[in-house]
Amino acid sequence: MKNINRVIIIGWDGAGTFVQGAHTPHLDRFIQTGAFTLDAQTVVPSISAQCWGALLHGVVPEKHGLTNDLAASASFPEDSEFPSIFRLAREAYPHKKLASFSAWQPINDGIIERSLEVHKVNIAVDGELALAAASYIRDNPDLLLMYIDLDWPDAMGHRHGFNTPEQIYGIEMTDAHTGIILDAIEAAGIWDDSLIIIVTDHGGGGIQPQDHGSDHPLDTTIFWGCIGPGIQTEAALSGITITDTAAVVAHALRLQAPAAWDAKLPIGLFANEKHTAPSAAD
């Protein structure tokens, strides 16, 4: 079994579990050889900054304190007791390549710490972002950690309503953009030693047809999946939350998870919980 030498996270903003009604051939192919659930849970309030903040910092919103407004106007505290997975990766591997490509700029400006020498790219158009991310992957196969945020499902949900034909179209386009990224991972020759996570931050339409943020199941139930060396396709992901993603990343890259984290590693997700650290670590 190969070691995991990098983690790539692809986030679909606002897709909830509405992928069930969409034509998503790239996600379907991913699911066939990975671990996947349509019953994962996000945090409350089910809003982007709170949700992506939980994924990246391993704690619930009451602890990380992020909101959309705050993430858009201030940088995350560098000395927080709730470090992001990027800060943990930088501290463990000072010279490894870290990258974040985001359609929603507050992720790069306000959720991921600014002093970590993370290669950050903000492009509001998902298709252009996917092409840029794919180019980076092909040019930097030695990357350690990469996060990619695609926004169209959320944008279409707010504009036309969640789980509407228009939002389903947005999800299908996001699947196509994800295919560009997955193809780049294969072309770079790093598919077999990468952990790839595809996840959404929240759904929508639970209380308001064109909004989200509540504790309604339509807002809080999400899909979560991963593929990579040692991942058990039949792993019981019952109870997994978006916050737990941080623990999965930390385990895969042999990072020391902070005691203050709420993130928990799903039992049985990895075949061998004592795998070797990424190669050529600095």
Side-chain angles (χ1 to χ4, degrees):
M1 183 177 68
K2 287 182 176 291
N3 295 323
I4 294 173
N5 286 324
R6 73 196 54 77
V7 175
I8 299 173
I9 304 167
I10 305 173
W12 294 16
D13 201 309
T17 59
F18 308 133
V19 295
Q20 297 175 89
H23 177 61
T24 55
H26 299 289
L27 182 63
D28 293 346
R29 179 169 66 94
F30 180 89
I31 292 170
Q32 289 174 2
T33 54
F36 187 81
T37 180
L38 285 163
D39 197 35
Q41 295 296 304
T42 194
V43 295
V44 177
S46 49
I47 300 172
S48 290
Q50 284 90 330
C51 298
W52 293 132
L55 180 152
L56 289 165
H57 290 271
V59 293
V60 295
E62 291 81 2
K63 294 181 180 179
H64 65 60
L66 288 160
T67 65
N68 285 3
D69 289 342
L70 185 60
S73 61
S75 58
F76 192 83
E78 304 285 344
D79 59 350
S80 171
E81 65 177 313
F82 311 121
S84 73
I85 53 177
F86 280 96
R87 185 175 132 197
L88 293 185
R90 176 55 70 224
E91 290 173 352
Y93 305 102
H95 305 295
K96 283 286 191 176
K97 294 177 180 178
L98 313 177
S100 177
F101 284 64
S102 183
W104 188 52
Q105 189 164 338
I107 289 174
N108 282 339
D109 291 354
I111 298 181
I112 299 172
E113 298 92 339
R114 292 188 181 183
S115 67
L116 303 177
E117 297 184 9
V118 176
H119 180 74
K120 295 180 178 179
V121 174
N122 300 304
I123 301 176
V125 180
D126 280 8
E128 295 178 10
L129 181 80
L131 289 172
S135 178
Y136 180 86
I137 291 168
R138 288 191 296 268
D139 292 342
N140 298 274
D142 56 337
L143 68 92
L144 178 73
L145 175 61
M146 185 175 186
Y147 173 84
I148 304 164
D149 169 71
L150 300 170
D151 190 62
W152 209 354
D154 190 60
M156 296 295 278
H158 284 297
R159 187 178 307 166
H160 300 285
F162 288 84
N163 203 23
T164 60
E166 294 84 358
Q167 200 221 6
I168 294 300
Y169 172 74
I171 289 172
E172 292 174 349
M173 290 304 299
T174 301
D175 182 74
H177 297 146
T178 297
I180 293 171
I181 298 165
L182 296 179
D183 286 347
I185 296 171
E186 290 187 299
I190 59 173
W191 184 274
D192 291 340
D193 64 345
S194 297
L195 176 68
I196 306 166
I197 298 170
I198 304 181
V199 60
T200 186
D201 58 339
H202 57 73
I207 302 298
Q208 298 293 332
Q210 294 175 248
D211 207 354
H212 54 85
S214 79
D215 62 356
H216 190 285
L218 285 177
D219 288 2
T220 60
T221 307
I222 60 173
F223 77 82
W224 191 98
C226 71
I227 187 172
I231 292 298
Q232 300 299 285
T233 58
E234 301 301 323
L237 296 177
S238 177
I240 191 171
T241 71
I242 192 170
T243 311
D244 294 333
T245 311
V248 173
V249 174
H251 177 77
L253 297 180
R254 299 288 296 194
L255 307 175
Q256 183 62 48
W261 269 10
D262 297 311
K264 307 297 182 192
L265 187 68
I267 297 173
L269 179 60
F270 291 91
N272 181 0
E273 295 188 356
K274 296 182 178 180
H275 57 270
T276 306
S279 64
D282 295 301

